[in-house]
């Protein structure tokens, strides 16, 4: 039986809650089935010990968390102190920042150093370059944020690393990085005003290395791209341009990541609105993951959902990945149409 059940028995006054839990388990599941469950529990405990040995070697949180996978950091959170959990959360936040950068490989960012090393052994040139870039990112984070915080002395840190680190820095850390860059490149002192506006402007132009005449084009109106079109043609052209811009604004991976965040938000809102009553008793007994209610096919989701959740969906419709892509990209798809029809069919049966 699980740790939660053992803890419950202990709270109820059992003298030996572990032995009592084992006896109840054998009576409930049978000797063979209980033996299988016990082995699975031992395997789980051994895996947790392995994870904690990686995350907290020697009983102390590792100084460098960049090489530990998302999975292991997530597993370890329940066994960490508040301060240690905050450090892990900060590392995961930095990974989220990295995942939002152009060209980011989210499948590499969450893997451990060992996993990256194994992939590197069989990677082609393009894959190897992506893995090496991720390793460089981790090295930069470990150098600039040792122990999860900005280094006390930035004087020896490469300027390129400092520039990249700005994306991961808190506001106070960003100010320290900016101060270090100012120290390395102190601004040229401004000339003393002479009272002659023309001479003062020339002196300022020399400092800036440019002339206001070079900026004149910024005040010009851009050419009208839709000149010569009727009002209807202009409206159609503007809508097509907006749709094309939306399609090119996100990669498919970014849309999937955005959809995952949307699904988890819906799950949390639905749990609060229904007091946690999402799954039917049968689905809960089978161990169905509640997140599948918001991502799987409509006919499966409605069969497993409680009446409370179905009523909540009437005001907050569940959205499939295909429908979400339509909303983000502004382009209808056959998959989205099928998803809407399937949802409508299920609602009509209520």
């Amino acid at each position: 039986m699980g740790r939660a059940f053992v803890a419950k028995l202990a709270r109820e006054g059992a003298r030996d809650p572990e032995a009592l839990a084992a006896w109840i388990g054998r009576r409930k599941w049978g000797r063979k089935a209980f033996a299988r469950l016990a082995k699975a529990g031992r395997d789980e405990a051994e895996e947790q010990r392995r994870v904690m040995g990686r995350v907290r070697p020697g009983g102390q949180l590792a100084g460098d968390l960049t090489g530990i996978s998302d999975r292991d950091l997530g597993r370890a959170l329940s066994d960490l102190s508040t301060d240690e959990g905050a450090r892990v959360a900060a590392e995961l936040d930095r990974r989220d920042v990295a995942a939002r950068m152009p060209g980011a490989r989210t499948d590499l960012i969450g893997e451990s150093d060992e996993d990256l090393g194994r992939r590197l052994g069989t990677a082609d040139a393009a894959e190897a370059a992506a893995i090496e870039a991720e390793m460089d990112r981790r090295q930069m984070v470990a150098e600039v944020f040792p122990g999860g915080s900005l280094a006390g002395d930035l004087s020896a840190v490469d300027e390129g690393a400092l520039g990249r680190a700005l994306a991961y820095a808190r506001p106070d850390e960003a100010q320290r990085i900016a101060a270090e860059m100012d120290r390395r490149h102190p601004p040229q002192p401004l000339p003393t005003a002479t009272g002659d506006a023309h001479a003062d402007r020339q002196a300022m132009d020399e400092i800036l290395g440019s002339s206001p005449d070079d900026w004149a084009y910024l005040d010009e109106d851009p050419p009208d791209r839709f000149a010569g079109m009727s009002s209807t043609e202009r409206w159609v052209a503007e809508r097509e341009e907006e749709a094309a811009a939306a399609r090119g604004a996100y990669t498919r991976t970014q849309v999937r990541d955005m959809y995952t965040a949307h699904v988890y938000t819906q799950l949390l809102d639905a749990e609060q609105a229904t007091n946690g009553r999402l799954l039917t008793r049968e689905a809960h007994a089978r161990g169905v993951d509640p997140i599948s209610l918001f991502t799987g096919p409509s006919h499966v989701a409605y069969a497993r959902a409680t009446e409370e959740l179905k009523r909540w969906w009437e005001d907050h419709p569940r959205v499939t990945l295909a429908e979400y892509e339509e909303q983000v990209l502004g382009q209808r798809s056959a998959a989205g149409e099928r998803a809407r029809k399937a949802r409508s069919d299920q609602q009509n049966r209520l």
Side-chain angles (χ1 to χ4, degrees), residues 9-82:
L9 294 177
R11 289 194 301 271
E12 293 176 355
R15 285 178 295 177
D16 191 343
E18 292 185 357
L20 180 58
W23 181 82
I24 294 173
R26 285 192 294 272
R27 290 292 300 273
K28 181 177 181 179
W29 303 105
R31 191 173 297 274
K32 289 184 178 180
F34 182 73
R36 289 195 298 271
L37 291 173
K39 181 180 183 303
R42 289 192 297 272
D43 293 343
E44 176 70 13
E46 178 60 31
E47 174 66 9
Q48 187 67 8
R49 282 192 292 272
R50 182 197 68 77
V51 169
M52 295 308 297
R54 181 81 191 281
V55 178
R56 292 183 93 241
Q60 296 291 328
L61 188 65
D64 181 9
L65 301 176
T66 59
I68 303 175
S69 68
D70 284 355
R71 174 181 173 275
D72 286 354
L73 288 178
R75 284 186 62 114
L77 272 175
S78 60
D79 292 332
L80 299 178
S81 68
T82 301

Side-chain angles (χ1 to χ4, degrees), residues 282-296:
E282 295 79 5
H284 188 273
R286 291 200 303 272
V288 173
D289 189 346
I291 198 68
S292 66
L293 296 173
F294 297 85
T295 60

Side-chain angles (χ1 to χ4, degrees), residues 190-204 206-207:
L190 294 177
T192 303
T194 64
D196 184 337
H198 180 71
D200 289 343
R201 191 180 75 168
Q202 282 187 325
M204 186 61 70
E206 290 177 4
I207 291 177

Side-chain angles (χ1 to χ4, degrees), residues 33-343:
F34 182 73
R36 289 195 298 271
L37 291 173
K39 181 180 183 303
R42 289 192 297 272
D43 293 343
E44 176 70 13
E46 178 60 31
E47 174 66 9
Q48 187 67 8
R49 282 192 292 272
R50 182 197 68 77
V51 169
M52 295 308 297
R54 181 81 191 281
V55 178
R56 292 183 93 241
Q60 296 291 328
L61 188 65
D64 181 9
L65 301 176
T66 59
I68 303 175
S69 68
D70 284 355
R71 174 181 173 275
D72 286 354
L73 288 178
R75 284 186 62 114
L77 272 175
S78 60
D79 292 332
L80 299 178
S81 68
T82 301
D83 290 342
E84 291 171 335
R87 273 196 54 203
V88 170
E91 168 60 23
L92 295 176
D93 286 344
R94 284 191 285 269
R95 296 183 187 186
D96 288 341
V97 171
R100 292 194 295 268
M101 292 184 178
R105 286 284 302 274
T106 55
D107 58 319
L108 301 180
I109 292 171
E111 291 197 350
S112 67
D113 284 351
E114 291 80 5
D115 291 336
L116 289 183
R118 283 191 289 270
R119 291 182 65 160
L120 187 60
T122 58
D124 57 21
E127 181 75 359
I131 293 173
E132 290 169 0
E134 170 58 17
M135 290 179 170
D136 288 342
R137 184 195 69 82
R138 297 182 183 191
Q139 183 178 355
M140 179 275 296
V141 170
E143 178 186 7
V144 183
F145 300 95
S149 298
L150 187 65
D153 182 9
L154 301 175
S155 60
V157 180
D158 177 74
E159 287 190 3
L162 284 179
R164 294 172 63 193
L166 276 172
Y168 304 94
R170 301 189 306 267
D172 59 311
E173 293 173 333
Q175 289 181 358
R176 283 191 52 213
I177 293 174
E180 172 61 21
M181 298 297 284
D182 287 343
R183 186 192 66 79
R184 298 183 187 186
H185 307 282
Q188 185 175 347
L190 294 177
T192 303
T194 64
D196 184 337
H198 180 71
D200 289 343
R201 191 180 75 168
Q202 282 187 325
M204 186 61 70
D205 290 343
E206 290 177 4
I207 291 177
L208 296 176
S210 63
S211 169
D213 293 337
D214 298 333
W215 311 338
Y217 74 94
L218 295 175
D219 194 40
E220 297 176 356
D221 292 330
D224 185 358
R225 300 186 304 282
F226 310 119
M229 294 185 179
S230 66
S231 58
T232 301
E233 291 171 337
R234 176 184 289 270
W235 186 90
V236 171
E238 289 175 346
R239 300 294 86 74
E240 290 177 346
E241 186 178 74
E242 291 173 0
R247 288 193 296 273
Y250 303 99
T251 65
R252 188 167 294 274
T253 299
Q254 289 173 320
V255 173
R256 285 199 180 97
D257 290 343
M258 293 162 61
Y259 177 68
T260 299
H262 167 78
V263 166
Y264 275 100
T265 300
Q266 273 215 323
L267 172 63
L268 295 175
D269 291 344
E271 280 186 330
Q272 183 176 5
T274 64
N275 293 321
R277 290 189 288 271
L278 303 178
L279 290 164
T280 62
R281 291 183 179 179
E282 295 79 5
H284 188 273
R286 291 200 303 272
V288 173
D289 189 346
I291 198 68
S292 66
L293 296 173
F294 297 85
T295 60
S298 291
H299 69 281
V300 176
Y302 274 83
R304 295 172 173 175
T306 60
E307 291 303 318
E308 292 91 336
L309 179 56
K310 291 175 184 177
R311 287 195 294 270
W312 188 81
W313 276 338
E314 291 178 5
D315 297 323
H316 310 82
R318 64 189 299 276
V319 179
T320 66
L321 176 59
E323 292 175 288
Y324 190 80
E325 286 180 342
E326 287 185 346
Q327 294 175 11
V328 174
L329 303 180
Q331 186 176 25
R332 290 265 181 169
S333 68
E337 294 291 350
R338 288 194 298 270
R340 279 187 291 277
K341 183 179 185 303
R343 181 174 63 246

